[in-house]
Amino acid sequence: MVRLARSEVLDPDEIAIAHTCSRTVRRCFLMGDDPFTGKNFDHRKSWIEQHLMHFAQNFGVDLLGYSLLSNHMHLMLRTRPDVVATWSDNEVARRWMMICPHRRDSDGLPLPPTEPEIRSIAGCPVKCAEIRRRLSSVSWWMRLLCQRVALRANREDEESGHFFQGRFHATRIVDEASLLACAAYVDLNPIRAAMAETLEQSDHTSVQRRIESITANRSNCIPAAKLRDSFLPPVTIDERFGEIGPCVSKSGTRCSDKGFLPMSLEDYLEMLDWTARQIAPGKSGRTPADAPPVLKRLGLDGTTWCELVSDFGRLFCTVAGRPECVDPLRSLRTHRRYHLRRRARELLARVD
């Protein structure tokens, strides 16, 4: 089946959540231990995290979660055109010039744009409107991220050509159950790949950042803006009493302060730990007799949940969600139906 164009699934002008995955070329381990060259490239994961923090600070996109492995990376991105709409033309120009700077300092970091540089964008309505759309675009985020990492890696290896495969994979998330499954799938990737045994040992993941911030918070000695997960939005969204609207970030380290799951961070970590014990072979520890309460709230039994998390990338291609949520949807331009694989339909049909 021919894959839909990205513009058929994701529109920068509407709020949407997408799971993206980008792999290195030829399945080489160019971000970890590479058996072909005998070299270790783990330091490149730190490069990517630096770019993620910088992009989260300047793009109109929320970085909900991520995991970086030896030959691919997973990101969960939420486009926020509602936040971008609150920015003035000068702010749009400033943010874009921080992402694509004309000048850098001696360390290679972008220098704040000058007034003429800002006016070159803010003073042109057509150009400013285009930049405003780019700032809430998953495609532009991934394009610039992969480009920056590829250029630096090629310079290091004295090579040329592609570093990542030509097209990143993107799946749109359309309901709460698939969102939770996707978040768990992303955060548990190192455990499933036998690169770690516990959540806190899962290097270069959003869940490790959140755990480190919990530890730092208990010491009461680190400002919120300096916490390890300050570039990530909070997990919890209070749909009854929480703030409505864009929820623009007060710290300036991320796009917004809006959460994305109807549970506390502690409940989310407990759910991840329970799930990891079910699907990680050889992992020590006793499985609780009952699934976490959040699964019951979503109408998921333990067996269904574990298969959704362990096989998320295989079960969902273009969109992820319950059949009753996916079937009424149509692609943005040609109005084609989205395809939901048979096994995914069978699993999500069990969700009450």
Side-chain angles (χ1 to χ4, degrees), residues 323-342:
E324 61 268 25
C325 294
V326 173
D327 290 342
L329 298 178
R330 297 293 184 272
S331 63
L332 299 175
R333 300 180 186 278
T334 60
H335 305 290
R336 292 166 56 187
R337 292 177 180 272
Y338 292 121
H339 174 67
L340 195 61
R341 290 173 177 165
R342 180 180 299 176

Side-chain angles (χ1 to χ4, degrees), residues 17-273:
I17 298 177
H19 163 248
T20 69
C21 179
S22 190
R23 293 184 178 276
T24 54
V25 293
R26 299 181 300 278
R27 297 189 178 274
C28 295
F29 294 86
L30 301 179
M31 299 186 294
D33 282 312
D34 187 11
F36 180 75
T37 62
K39 296 181 179 179
N40 180 276
F41 299 111
D42 279 338
H43 60 281
R44 290 174 178 171
K45 296 173 186 174
S46 298
W47 298 353
I48 297 175
E49 284 189 298
Q50 291 169 5
H51 286 303
L52 291 177
M53 286 187 278
H54 183 63
F55 281 17
Q57 184 177 11
N58 293 287
F59 264 96
V61 175
D62 288 326
L63 176 61
L64 305 183
Y66 70 91
S67 61
L68 310 179
L69 286 85
S70 296
N71 69 339
H72 66 285
M73 60 181 176
H74 294 273
L75 306 180
M76 281 184 65
L77 303 173
R78 179 173 60 191
T79 56
R80 298 303 307 273
D82 57 335
V83 173
V84 177
T86 68
W87 298 340
S88 66
D89 289 349
N90 282 3
E91 179 66 8
V92 166
R94 185 194 68 79
R95 287 174 177 269
W96 184 252
M97 295 300 295
M98 290 299 292
I99 297 169
C100 300
H102 288 179
R103 299 172 299 109
R104 296 179 181 271
D105 61 19
S106 57
D107 295 324
L109 300 176
L111 290 170
T114 62
E115 186 62 28
E117 289 173 341
I118 290 177
R119 293 305 305 165
S120 69
I121 295 176
C124 177
V126 175
K127 189 174 184 179
C128 189
E130 174 59 26
I131 296 300
R132 193 179 287 275
R133 281 175 57 87
R134 290 181 184 180
L135 287 173
S136 61
S137 168
V138 168
S139 293
W140 272 95
W141 173 298
M142 294 299 296
R143 173 182 179 175
L144 293 176
L145 175 64
C146 292
Q147 181 188 73
R148 305 283 166 83
V149 176
L151 288 173
R152 188 170 178 180
N154 283 346
R155 282 198 303 268
E156 183 181 63
D157 293 338
E158 297 182 348
E159 294 284 352
S160 60
H162 290 288
F163 182 84
F164 290 104
Q165 292 179 0
R167 192 183 193 213
F168 69 90
H169 177 80
T171 300
R172 182 172 177 177
I173 311 299
V174 298
D175 68 7
E176 192 175 85
S178 58
L179 174 59
L180 180 59
C182 183
Y185 170 73
V186 169
D187 278 331
L188 292 176
N189 248 269
I191 293 178
R192 293 180 61 241
M195 297 173 64
E197 291 186 345
T198 62
L199 297 174
E200 58 270 25
Q201 294 173 350
S202 300
D203 294 333
H204 307 290
T205 62
S206 50
V207 68
Q208 186 188 56
R209 291 274 185 162
R210 296 188 190 279
I211 291 172
E212 289 172 345
S213 289
I214 290 176
T215 305
N217 256 327
R218 288 172 180 166
S219 65
N220 296 320
C221 61
I222 301 179
K226 298 296 184 182
L227 291 174
R228 293 275 291 169
D229 68 343
S230 60
F231 64 102
L232 302 170
V235 166
T236 307
I237 182 170
D238 188 340
E239 297 178 340
R240 293 183 60 190
F241 304 108
E243 181 183 352
I244 60 174
C247 298
V248 179
S249 172
K250 297 180 176 64
S251 66
T253 58
R254 57 197 180 204
C255 175
S256 80
D257 292 333
K258 186 182 287 292
F260 61 101
L261 291 175
M263 67 182 74
S264 67
L265 175 57
E266 290 74 15
D267 286 343
Y268 177 64
L269 295 177
E270 182 182 353
M271 181 273 297
L272 287 182
D273 183 67

